[in-house]
Amino acid sequence: MSFWRKVLTIIWKDVVAELRTKEIFSSMFVFALLLIVIFNFSFDLRVEKVAEVVPGVLWVTFVFAGTLGLNRSLALEMEDACLDGLLLAPMERGTIYFGKMLGNLIFISITEALMLPIFSAVFDLNLIRPALLLTIFLGTSGFAAVGTLLSTMAVNTRAREVMLPVLLFPIILPVVISAVKLTTGILDGLPWDSLAPWLRFLVGFDIIFLVISYLTFDYVVQG
Amino acid sequence: MNRSFRPGDLLNWLSGLTMIAALYMVFLYAPTEATMGHLQRIFYFHVSSAWVGFFAFFVTLVASIAYLASRKRHWDIVSFSSAEIGITFTAMSVITGSIWAKSTWNAWWPWQQEPRLILVTILLLIYFSYLMLRAFLEDEEQRARFAAVYGIVAFASVPLTFWSVRWWQRLHPVIFERRGAHLSRAMLVTFLFCLFTFTILYFTLLLHRSRLAKLADEVEGLKRRLHSGGGS
């Protein structure tokens, strides 16, 4: 089997499991929905222009919901020693990393895709624009790249689910900052050349962390 | 007790003496800056502690990689000792920077204008998380392995912090540019000497912290032997 066939097999395994249990997706979606409602009420009373807080609210929601999804995804692998079974499969550890990472990326992206129309309606602002979708995709890729590595570590600690945000948030903060800056710029209608540095930073960060996570994943799962 | 001379003794004396000399140079030898006055003298220790912070995290990275390659306990000790020292010195540079900022920009912590402050905060948070990760892992081998991986991932944010001052609109003064430094000769000498002093201090602290960790390991081993009923 080629590299991508193996990766696809792992993604397919996650998708089938998810279609049967709907555990990851439903928890992420309901949580994100609750966050939007809470944010909407807490800002509605004070903020003059809701559009000014939308980029922050958008990314906080994505990051919190995404963390929930990552935790669930890896916690499921720990149950009944599924991860050990996965490690026994005749493929490299890096392949497993890519499979899990892309699976997580797909689940989080689907949740985000469903949240965007709701966001647009609640805040009365059209968020479905090509540039914004690209930004969200890039931000989520960086998030899933580091998140998959760190959640594999977190589920092995004594604190389990609590550990992931502690490990992940400080590392992912630069990605979130540049994603929020880009989102703000796009919503304000700024020209592309003033957004380009942030876009470059976002892409660079994605690449750096994807490569590092790919290279170090092997050390996390062995032992 | 008759004890032989250890390399640690040399470092102890060297860091003590250079620190006295550095204080003399900063307060008496270096000229007073024209616009900022005596306030500018904070710069020597501010940049030196920032440098040691970065350097310490770099050592953590190198020791982490060395640990993953060799699986020697020694590298794990160096790795977390250096992270602890790095946090201390980064915090010192944040505090000295804040004092300077309050007098110059009239704000302790101008987040909005200076992206480097955000990134230094992230840096501190990352290495706090590094120590927390260690605290939450029981198995010694697994703790060392996970911490090493996190040490490598964490360091990716250090160069971002360092270069950010040149990437974005800035308030933070850029002292060194490609064409040369905005410093007089005496200031430059003082500054370089402070860098040297702080680097010596770093190695002294690293040596002592590592020795402490090794002794703690030995005590742990002795305790275990005691519990398992002694024997040679």
Side-chain angles (χ1 to χ4, degrees):
Chain A
M1 267 202 293
S2 71
F3 175 80
W4 290 109
R5 279 293 302 259
K6 291 175 188 166
V7 170
L8 276 177
T9 312
I10 294 179
I11 298 173
W12 186 241
K13 163 197 89 72
D14 278 355
V15 170
V16 169
E18 181 56 28
L19 284 175
R20 287 183 188 148
T21 59
K22 294 171 192 72
E23 239 180 74
I24 300 172
F25 178 71
S26 58
S27 58
M28 263 199 290
F29 184 71
V30 173
F31 185 65
L33 215 55
L34 286 171
L35 278 174
I36 292 186
V37 173
I38 292 169
F39 273 130
N40 198 39
F41 277 116
S42 54
F43 285 134
D44 217 22
L45 304 172
R46 288 182 155 271
V47 181
E48 289 277 302
K49 264 180 72 189
V50 186
E52 282 175 5
V53 296
V54 164
V57 171
L58 196 71
W59 281 101
V60 169
T61 308
F62 289 167
V63 166
F64 281 13
T67 308
L68 209 68
L70 285 174
N71 257 332
R72 234 15 255 155
S73 158
L74 265 296
L76 286 174
E77 292 288 359
M78 292 307 282
E79 279 171 24
D80 304 321
C82 285
L83 192 61
D84 294 332
L86 199 58
L87 293 177
L88 281 175
M91 54 177 83
E92 280 182 14
R93 301 281 158 80
T95 320
I96 299 175
Y97 167 76
F98 266 114
K100 287 303 289 181
M101 182 255 162
L102 288 173
N104 287 331
L105 180 62
I106 290 170
F107 292 143
I108 300 172
S109 299
I110 292 174
T111 313
E112 288 169 349
L114 285 173
M115 294 318 291
L116 276 180
I118 301 175
F119 260 114
S120 304
V122 170
F123 292 104
D124 197 18
L125 192 74
N126 182 22
L127 293 171
I128 303 163
R129 310 176 193 187
L132 199 58
L133 294 181
L134 176 72
T135 306
I136 292 172
F137 174 74
L138 287 174
T140 311
S141 303
F143 179 80
V146 197
T148 306
L149 176 78
L150 296 183
S151 59
T152 315
M153 281 206 245
V155 290
N156 279 299
T157 63
R158 204 148 31 90
R160 296 218 160 218
E161 275 82 357
V162 186
M163 205 62 213
L164 180 61
V166 174
L167 293 178
L168 180 58
F169 288 175
I171 299 264
I172 210 69
L173 217 50
V175 168
V176 176
I177 291 170
S178 44
V180 168
K181 288 275 180 193
L182 264 177
T183 310
T184 314
I186 292 164
L187 290 181
D188 289 350
L190 292 182
W192 260 113
D193 31 318
S194 67
L195 297 175
W198 292 106
L199 186 69
R200 243 177 279 144
F201 183 46
L202 192 54
V203 172
F205 209 85
D206 280 0
I207 294 169
I208 292 171
F209 276 104
L210 193 64
V211 171
I212 295 176
S213 305
Y214 171 72
L215 292 176
T216 51
F217 185 75
D218 187 17
Y219 294 105
V220 173
V221 289
Q222 68 182 213
Chain B
M1 202 173 83
N2 186 19
R3 64 198 269 282
S4 56
F5 184 80
R6 284 192 306 233
D9 294 334
L10 180 70
L11 274 175
N12 286 347
W13 280 104
L14 196 60
S15 56
L17 292 174
T18 48
M19 191 51 89
I20 292 169
L23 283 169
Y24 167 80
M25 285 179 89
V26 167
F27 287 108
L28 300 169
Y29 170 70
T32 309
E33 213 259 352
T35 45
M36 279 187 275
H38 288 303
L39 185 64
Q40 184 265 340
R41 293 181 198 277
I42 214 167
F43 152 83
Y44 302 111
F45 278 17
H46 170 68
V47 179
S48 301
S49 35
W51 148 252
V52 170
F54 283 125
F55 183 65
F57 295 141
F58 178 70
V59 172
T60 300
L61 170 79
V62 173
S64 296
I65 295 172
Y67 175 79
L68 289 182
S70 71
R71 299 304 167 99
K72 295 248 165 62
R73 166 84 179 138
H74 174 73
W75 288 115
D76 185 42
I77 290 175
V78 172
S79 173
F80 76 77
S81 305
S82 195
E84 285 176 8
I85 300 168
I87 287 177
T88 315
F89 277 89
T90 309
M92 267 163 60
S93 78
V94 164
I95 292 166
T96 49
S98 265
I99 296 169
W100 185 85
K102 179 64 188 168
S103 328
T104 316
W105 301 330
N106 199 27
W108 293 106
W109 197 248
W111 281 99
Q112 267 70 38
Q113 293 85 5
E114 181 45 57
R116 209 151 71 151
L117 288 180
I118 303 169
L119 284 155
V120 166
T121 314
I122 299 170
L123 201 62
L124 276 177
L125 284 173
I126 287 175
Y127 284 92
F128 275 132
S129 299
Y130 171 87
L131 294 180
M132 241 181 109
L133 173 68
R134 301 190 65 96
F136 276 103
L137 286 162
E138 306 279 344
D139 181 61
E140 197 176 276
E141 190 272 334
Q142 193 183 41
R143 187 199 302 144
R145 196 152 41 85
F146 280 19
V149 170
Y150 198 69
I152 293 169
V153 178
F155 190 78
S157 77
V158 178
L160 297 180
T161 310
F162 192 77
W163 287 318
S164 68
V165 74
R166 287 176 168 90
W167 280 6
W168 294 309
Q169 263 217 318
R170 65 236 175 165
L171 194 60
H172 193 289
V174 175
I175 307 291
F176 297 98
E177 277 175 10
R178 220 164 266 169
R179 267 171 295 160
H182 297 292
L183 284 176
S184 76
R185 205 181 150 71
M187 282 175 170
L188 189 66
V189 170
T190 309
F191 171 64
L192 291 177
F193 190 75
C194 282
L195 276 189
F196 174 72
T197 304
F198 271 63
T199 311
I200 296 285
L201 180 65
Y202 164 74
F203 280 111
T204 313
L205 290 173
L206 183 66
L207 189 80
H208 286 292
R209 183 66 188 87
S210 309
R211 213 167 60 90
L212 191 68
K214 264 180 214 139
L215 290 175
D217 270 6
E218 266 177 46
V219 171
E220 202 54 44
L222 286 174
K223 267 191 199 158
R224 222 173 291 146
R225 245 171 61 194
L226 197 66
H227 280 300
S228 62
S232 60

